[in-house]
Amino acid sequence: MTTRRRMVTSLPMFSSRLVRNETTYFHWTTRRDDVDCRSLRSDQMTNHYANAGTLTTKVGLCVNLRNLQWFDTTDPDSFFPRCYRLGAEDDKHAFIDDFRRTACTSLLQHVVEASGSEAEDRNASNSVCGEAHHAKHRSVGSEAIATALTACQEFLGVLEHSDIDVAVETPPSVKEQQWAAFLRDYYMVAHEGAWIRGAGPFVERCRVMLTRLREVCPQLDTDGLSNIWIVKPGAKSRGRGILCMNRLDEILALSESDRALNSDSRWVVQKYLERPLLVHDTKFDLRQWFLVTDWNPLTVWFYGECYLRFSTQPYSTRTLDSAVHLCNNSIQKHLQPSRDRHPAVPADNMWSGAQFRAFLRRQGREARWESAVVPGMRRAVVCALQTVQDLVEPRKASFELYGADFMLGRDLRPWLLEVNASPTMACSSAATARLCPAVQRDTLRVVLDRRADPSAYTGGFHLIYRQAAVDVPQYVGVNLLVEGVHVRRCRPALRRHSVASKAPIGFPSEQSTSEEAETAQRPSGQSGQSGQSGQSGQKPRALAALRHSGKENREAGENKRQLASLSPKRDGARGAGRGPAPDQPLALQAEPRSKARRLTPTLGANGATLIPQSFCFSLSPLKSVPDAGRARSKPGRPSHMSRPLPPHEHQASTRDLPSLAGPLPALEVFRLRPSVAAAARRDPALSPRSSLHRHQLLLCSDKQSAAKRGGDFTGEHRH
């Protein structure tokens, strides 16, 4: 193997001095926390991924495998023993239900298996010898069998969804008191060897029920009769803190005793495989290596060799000793092999995969290795990786070697127990002395040689899974478009006096507005001359009345207008103080459904018409901002008329108001003043164009409104 990269391993006493100030391009360590993957450069390699604990911890594997249905059609119960977190309330209740149900199925299996020649004679015989034999042992009634059949039938009904059509939630068929009595009888039968009175008539029913359960419960054949569960601390390794237990109350008491672990849901309870494949009546597990070189797309390499780890004691479910049920080398290496163990089991407690295949060959089952064992282990590894792919942080220059622990059932089906990060490479036996160095060399072939040459030799590693590449949309930068209008702060409601008017309202044209402005600026005599001769005497009186009313209006609202112009928050006060004089308290607000042509405010008997000082409407925004500013009146001289729009602005406004025939929103008038031009509406003879200028309102903006708006019209109508 050749490589141009500098390779530095994390051997203590070597890397600490020689490469302390050197840049490492290849870092291999057994501690994931030694290297921060996020701070490495793209040309630096390490043998760990960030957040890989979701796969290598017992809690992470327990939780994430439940999501396998979103990635694959494989049932996790077909390769991973049932597992629960005792610290989580929902998992705790699910475990209690599972323990009780497993006790029921175990009792049914006991009845069927005890119906053989010896047990059948013992249960069916009425002879004196049979009764004397039974008298030596404790016995329980057949009520336990009936309870087990009822619970199993209810479980099958739930799986078949027969309970979803029930309108009212029905109570469970087995009460808590019945469960307590059932477990007491079950413990006597399974753990103390008691026999069941009158079990003969139930044998066939038990056999049929087990057949139905076997179709939906893949682990039924491995559950056994003792209902043993293995309790593990969720984040420990090498068999530390692991216990085997077979009583529900003891398991719950253990999990509740350590509040520190229980609070973080770190206690994991997993169904123990009571009927594994044995080699010379000795239990073993299998260590299988696999390598992940990329998480996106997921790329998995499977090693062609594995090794077996044996227990030092003969296998038995009558004892719960860790020396019998735990095959971890960190535990078994401190124990002496039992004298009762078969001599063919190696003294160093390990076999290579080749030795195990030779054992299967002698039994005539070697073909099952390639047809069942290897495909099952590969499928379990890929499924476990798929469930955590979105949780592990991918990095192109990283890789990680894992060690998966499997057990084999009597049918040679592999069962995944756990996945270990940084699997041991110690040469503790003849098998590991040959395999571990080879695994390390082949790992470097895959992660180094194959980077430079895709056709390079990879040793014992074989690519078993490469996910299809996912097209990532090209990043085009931040170019977001937000459509809509901003929300403005609500202002205080205005206090208005309203009077309904059925008179029409007209919008002044350019010519009419100019003529009315000129009329308002002429003296009384000139104004009289512009009308008809028979009406000249009425115009001076109308002008005097209007001037008097306008002066009172200006004097009454001068102070409040100046205060209201300082802050937009005082609009309510300004609107309240801009009404007419006390003797003329009329203001205008048209009804929403009335036409614009139907409005004309008057002051009553004096014949003057009110023109809104501030007039807001929700028809169209103003088109010309600068002109609105130029239309302001000079300080100290309030404007009586609105400035006529130029021709081009009038045309633009006409286009923005396509139709006035439909219903218009309410017109809110903040201030009304008499208008000279509108006074002529009382007598049609006052104006030569009375038919055109009758019922008109001139819209003006006072200087405070124009100053606040500052020409900034956004299309929203401000009040």
Side-chain angles (χ1 to χ4, degrees), residues 14 223 250 368 504 655 717:
F14 178 78
D223 284 344
E250 295 178 359
R368 292 285 296 171
R655 287 195 300 270
H717 316 302

Side-chain angles (χ1 to χ4, degrees), residues 484-504:
V485 295
H486 61 279
V487 178
R488 294 188 177 277
R489 183 176 56 185
C490 297
R491 297 181 177 179
L494 301 177
R495 292 182 299 175
R496 309 180 183 92
H497 300 281
S498 62
V499 58
S501 175
K502 298 183 179 180

Side-chain angles (χ1 to χ4, degrees), residues 216-233:
V216 296
C217 300
Q219 302 179 22
L220 184 63
D221 292 334
T222 61
D223 284 344
L225 305 179
S226 301
N227 201 7
I228 301 176
W229 292 74
I230 183 167
V231 185
K232 313 174 183 179

Side-chain angles (χ1 to χ4, degrees), residues 286 288 302 306 369 372-382 406 414:
L286 190 148
Q288 176 65 56
F302 194 84
C306 61
W369 174 262
V373 178
V374 174
M377 291 191 297
R378 290 181 175 182
R379 181 173 61 254
V381 166
V382 172
F406 288 92

